[in-house]
Amino acid sequence: MDNPLKKIFSSISTIRSGSDDSAVGIDIGSSAIKIVEIKKKGGKAILETYGAIALGPYAQLDVGHVTNLSVDKIVEALKEVLKQSGVTLPEAAFSIPVQSSLIFTLELPAQIKENSIAEIISTEARKYIPVPIAEVSLDYFILPQKESSHEEMDGTPDDSGIPQKPTDKTNILVIATQNDTVYRYRSIVSGCRLSASFFEIEIFSSIRANFEHELSPVLLMDFGASKTKLSIVEFGTVRGYHTIDRGGADMTDSISKSLSIPFAEAEKMKKEFGLFGNPAEKSLADIIKIHIDYIFSETNNVLLGYEKKYSRTINKVIFTGGGSLLNGLLEVATNNFRAEIEIGHPFSKVSAPAFLEKILETMGPEFAVALGLALRKLQ
Ligand SMILES: Nc1ncnc2c1ncn2[C@@H]1O[C@H](COP(=O)(O)OP(=O)(O)OP(=O)(O)O)[C@@H](O)[C@H]1O
Ligand SMILES: [Mg+2]
């Protein structure tokens, strides 16, 4: 019988002869495409090139606008940015937006044989997936035993108050991705005459790019143009995940409407002044703050929920995504979270010419997903 569990990420990759020691990561975000190429030399990853292109203009909109483009338009933009940044490799790794997928954990008895896991997951997953199972592709990771035992031992003492012995359960992280999305990405890949090394849900790429060796729970916040994505990561794996339907483009939109200025001007003002405020436009900081307050209050709910469920505190928050560059965000965040806050610096994972160092530090948040993809390819 056919294995019902198609490993989407492996089955759709048609690896061409692309060189083994170079890797390209492509992140098609809602407002821009970002690409990074790295190369392995003497055991180290070296930055070859990178580039970004705003998608707004491909929909007759300003730079910074959120778009929902056809495959043809995406192909056009992607070809352009590949050309501009001089990427010539025939294959690349692609991120898939997290909103096209559903991520959840299943707890199965530990005795289950590995070769029957796929079938069991396919049956069990039906309970979690709101669309017919035939419309999604499933992928899964078995979470390390250490984690499952940790969870069992933590917060679930037996009658004597002593934590229970690990563990008669296997925890499995399941990722269900809509087939429509997978087909759409396949069309983009072939439209650009590329082949796909693999597809990966964006949060996994971002985690790879932003994390060092954190073991205790960390919250990763991706401040995108359309959405703010929260992932709680422990032992290197996703333990909780939430999307807030609010992003950088919403802030620009509000600024543009409230101050009756064009979107492009509002985007420029947001980037220049942010929460520090514009002396000539006193209400700017307040307009932005309304959105930040909303995002942080949603985030606090997610944190509380996690801390209650697992009896563990989140001591560290990492910011990523273009929106994390907002002036004054760190200060407001410090007042909101009782945790150490850090803006991710993914380019610190690769070698680059010294004169690029400063600029790469500020570009890191926008390129984290693309870099994370490329890093996986080189691993
Ligand atoms: N210096 C800055 N200050 C404030 N906002 C900024 C700054 N630089 C970039 N941004 C904002 O970051 C957003 C773009 O970030 P990013 O490239 O991560 O989004 P995206 O990947 O296209 O969106 P999504 O992940 O939601 O699909 C835009 O809203 C942009 O205005
Ligand atoms: Mg993004």
Side-chain angles (χ1 to χ4, degrees):
M1 197 185 91
D2 255 5
N3 183 340
L5 195 75
K6 280 180 291 173
K7 282 246 167 194
I8 48 165
F9 302 135
S10 42
S11 67
I12 46 192
S13 46
T14 35
I15 295 169
R16 242 195 266 165
S17 60
S19 108
D20 278 345
D21 51 14
S22 285
V24 177
I26 300 180
D27 168 22
I28 305 172
S30 63
S31 72
I33 300 179
K34 279 101 16 166
I35 65 176
V36 172
E37 179 174 348
I38 57 176
K39 189 180 182 153
K40 201 191 269 172
K41 208 172 178 186
K44 277 174 88 177
I46 296 172
L47 179 64
E48 283 278 290
T49 181
Y50 62 90
I53 193 160
L55 291 173
Y58 288 84
Q60 276 77 52
L61 294 168
D62 285 316
V63 169
H65 262 292
V66 166
T67 57
N68 186 12
L69 294 171
S70 65
V71 166
D72 288 349
K73 286 283 170 197
I74 296 274
V75 166
E76 201 185 320
L78 182 49
K79 279 182 172 164
E80 180 60 27
V81 67
L82 287 167
K83 193 171 93 190
Q84 281 175 13
S85 39
V87 171
T88 53
L89 278 197
E91 68 168 291
F94 287 80
S95 60
I96 291 193
V98 74
Q99 59 268 28
S100 317
S101 65
L102 199 66
I103 302 169
F104 51 90
T105 35
L106 284 178
E107 199 179 67
L108 301 179
Q111 316 70 288
I112 276 181
K113 293 205 181 67
E114 266 216 63
N115 57 12
S116 57
I117 284 182
E119 219 172 309
I120 293 169
I121 288 175
S122 157
T123 312
E124 284 295 303
R126 285 167 210 263
K127 297 177 194 159
Y128 294 81
I129 298 170
V131 297
I133 198 92
E135 288 174 22
V136 301
S137 300
L138 293 171
D139 200 13
Y140 70 94
F141 300 98
I142 300 171
L143 294 175
Q145 191 73 12
K146 194 171 64 179
E147 278 176 74
S148 1
S149 61
H150 188 79
E151 179 171 340
E152 289 288 312
M153 291 177 71
D154 228 334
T156 50
D158 66 9
D159 291 339
S160 64
I162 298 165
Q164 286 165 14
K165 274 244 165 62
T167 175
D168 50 353
K169 296 283 196 295
T170 301
N171 281 330
I172 298 175
L173 186 75
V174 184
I175 303 152
T177 307
Q178 290 165 6
N179 287 337
D180 284 358
T181 306
V182 177
Y183 296 144
R184 181 174 151 85
Y185 273 76
R186 273 177 157 167
S187 312
I188 293 170
V189 172
S190 61
C192 290
R193 300 186 180 282
L194 287 169
S195 65
S197 317
F198 56 83
F199 293 85
E200 177 173 75
I201 308 293
E202 57 183 336
I203 55 172
F204 297 101
S205 325
S206 187
I207 289 166
R208 188 174 308 106
N210 283 297
F211 279 59
E212 295 297 335
H213 303 288
E214 287 89 354
L215 294 178
S216 49
V218 175
L219 169 70
L220 179 70
M221 293 185 78
D222 179 345
F223 293 86
S226 60
K227 294 185 164 56
T228 306
K229 294 150 230 168
L230 313 180
S231 347
I232 296 171
V233 181
E234 197 174 0
F235 296 107
T237 22
V238 179
R239 304 308 305 267
Y241 169 71
H242 188 82
T243 305
I244 302 171
D245 216 355
R246 190 74 63 97
D250 296 306
M251 298 174 201
T252 307
D253 220 28
S254 295
I255 299 168
S256 156
K257 292 199 172 104
S258 305
L259 304 181
S260 306
I261 54 175
F263 186 93
E265 203 179 310
E267 176 79 359
K268 195 164 158 260
M269 205 188 267
K270 176 185 79 172
K271 288 186 179 175
E272 189 175 347
F273 300 102
L275 288 161
F276 288 155
N278 177 357
E281 202 51 82
K282 294 263 183 311
S283 58
L284 176 72
D286 296 335
I287 301 168
I288 299 175
K289 183 81 177 3
I290 290 170
H291 294 281
I292 296 298
D293 284 347
Y294 175 78
I295 290 169
F296 283 176
S297 104
E298 289 281 294
T299 307
N300 288 339
N301 290 339
V302 171
L303 287 182
L304 263 174
Y306 183 86
E307 294 181 350
K308 213 161 132 195
K309 183 167 173 198
Y310 296 103
S311 319
R312 282 200 287 285
T313 352
I314 286 155
N315 293 317
K316 186 168 173 183
V317 182
I318 301 179
F319 286 176
T320 187
S324 65
L325 300 170
L326 182 75
N327 274 330
L329 183 65
L330 215 54
E331 287 75 1
V332 174
T334 309
N335 288 328
N336 178 76
F337 299 115
R338 281 167 299 132
E340 175 197 346
I341 301 161
E342 187 179 293
I343 297 181
H345 180 19
F347 282 116
S348 65
K349 289 194 165 32
V350 297
S351 307
F355 71 90
L356 279 179
E357 212 166 274
K358 257 276 70 58
I359 177 130
L360 288 179
E361 200 173 329
T362 55
M363 313 247 306
E366 272 175 284
F367 285 87
V369 171
L371 180 62
L373 287 163
L375 286 170
R376 170 171 155 187
K377 175 79 202 317
L378 277 198
Q379 265 165 16

